[in-house]
Amino acid sequence: MDDTTAEKREEAIAGLNAALADLESGDGLSRFLGGHGFMSRRFEFEWNDAQLEIDFSLPYARVLSGEESQKDDDAEIGAAIRMAILLLTVDGRKTDCADWMSVSVWADESGAGYSIRDAQGELVDSGDDWSGLIHRLESALGESEEELAVIWP
C-alpha cells in the first residue's frame, strides 16, 4: 500500500467519524450528501480499491416522511458509516483473511449486502444483510495483534 492510499483511507475514516458524530449529535449530516429537494437527499459514500469496494446511497432527511421513518433512515446511515469505518480500518491492516481477496458491500433503499471473493475471483461468501460479514470480520480481527471493537446497533 502506498502512502497516498493510506492518506486517502485515513481522510475517509476521519470524514466518516465526523459525519457519524454530526448524525448522532442531532446536528444533521453536512458531509457525504447528494441529491436535492425535499425527498431526494441522500447519504452517499463510495470507496474502490483492489481489495475493497463500498457503495452506499441511502435516503436522508426526507421531510415529507414521518419522524419514525426519518429516525430509521438515520439509524441505517449510522450503521453504514460504522461499516465503512470498520472495513476501511481492516483494509489498512494485515489481517488473517486467507480465504478472501476482495470485499464488496452496498446499501441502498432496497437493502444491504456483501460479497467476498478469493484471489481467483471465485465467490467465497455473500449475503443479503451484513451479519455474515460482521461475523467474518470479528473472527479475523480476533486473531490480529491489535484489537478493534465491533459495535453494531
Side-chain angles (χ1 to χ4, degrees), residues 76-130:
E76 286 184 39
I77 291 168
I81 291 172
R82 286 180 185 86
M83 176 58 80
I85 292 168
L86 177 61
L87 288 169
L88 287 166
T89 301
V90 170
D91 190 42
R93 296 180 180 187
K94 302 241 190 275
T95 57
D96 185 18
C97 302
D99 61 336
W100 23 313
M101 179 62 176
S102 67
V103 177
S104 295
V105 296
W106 59 92
D108 59 26
E109 291 151 281
S110 64
Y114 74 96
S115 63
I116 299 173
R117 298 196 177 275
D118 65 15
Q120 291 74 38
E122 297 294 320
L123 186 64
V124 173
D125 189 20
S126 65
D128 292 335
D129 64 34
W130 294 335

Side-chain angles (χ1 to χ4, degrees), residues 13-29:
I13 291 170
L16 288 163
N17 276 317
L20 184 59
D22 290 345
L23 187 68
E24 290 178 341
S25 72
D27 291 338
L29 288 175

Side-chain angles (χ1 to χ4, degrees), residues 2-153:
D2 63 27
D3 290 339
T4 305
T5 302
E7 287 175 22
K8 286 181 183 178
R9 181 178 290 107
E10 291 305 314
E11 287 174 14
I13 291 170
L16 288 163
N17 276 317
L20 184 59
D22 290 345
L23 187 68
E24 290 178 341
S25 72
D27 291 338
L29 288 175
S30 60
R31 303 163 193 256
F32 307 113
L33 290 177
H36 59 283
F38 293 120
M39 295 296 284
S40 66
R41 293 193 53 187
R42 310 188 70 66
F43 166 77
E44 296 177 342
F45 180 78
E46 292 183 7
W47 181 268
N48 198 347
D49 68 23
Q51 288 82 32
L52 178 60
E53 181 182 339
I54 301 171
D55 185 9
F56 296 152
S57 181
L58 296 165
Y60 174 70
R62 297 185 289 179
V63 298
L64 299 178
S65 295
E67 187 175 324
E68 197 61 37
S69 292
Q70 288 184 29
K71 286 181 182 180
D72 290 346
D73 290 348
D74 288 354
E76 286 184 39
I77 291 168
I81 291 172
R82 286 180 185 86
M83 176 58 80
I85 292 168
L86 177 61
L87 288 169
L88 287 166
T89 301
V90 170
D91 190 42
R93 296 180 180 187
K94 302 241 190 275
T95 57
D96 185 18
C97 302
D99 61 336
W100 23 313
M101 179 62 176
S102 67
V103 177
S104 295
V105 296
W106 59 92
D108 59 26
E109 291 151 281
S110 64
Y114 74 96
S115 63
I116 299 173
R117 298 196 177 275
D118 65 15
Q120 291 74 38
E122 297 294 320
L123 186 64
V124 173
D125 189 20
S126 65
D128 292 335
D129 64 34
W130 294 335
S131 59
L133 179 59
I134 292 295
H135 179 71
R136 283 179 167 273
L137 289 169
E138 286 175 329
S139 296
L141 291 171
E143 299 169 6
S144 67
E145 292 176 17
E146 294 182 58
E147 287 191 35
L148 179 67
V150 177
I151 301 171
W152 201 248

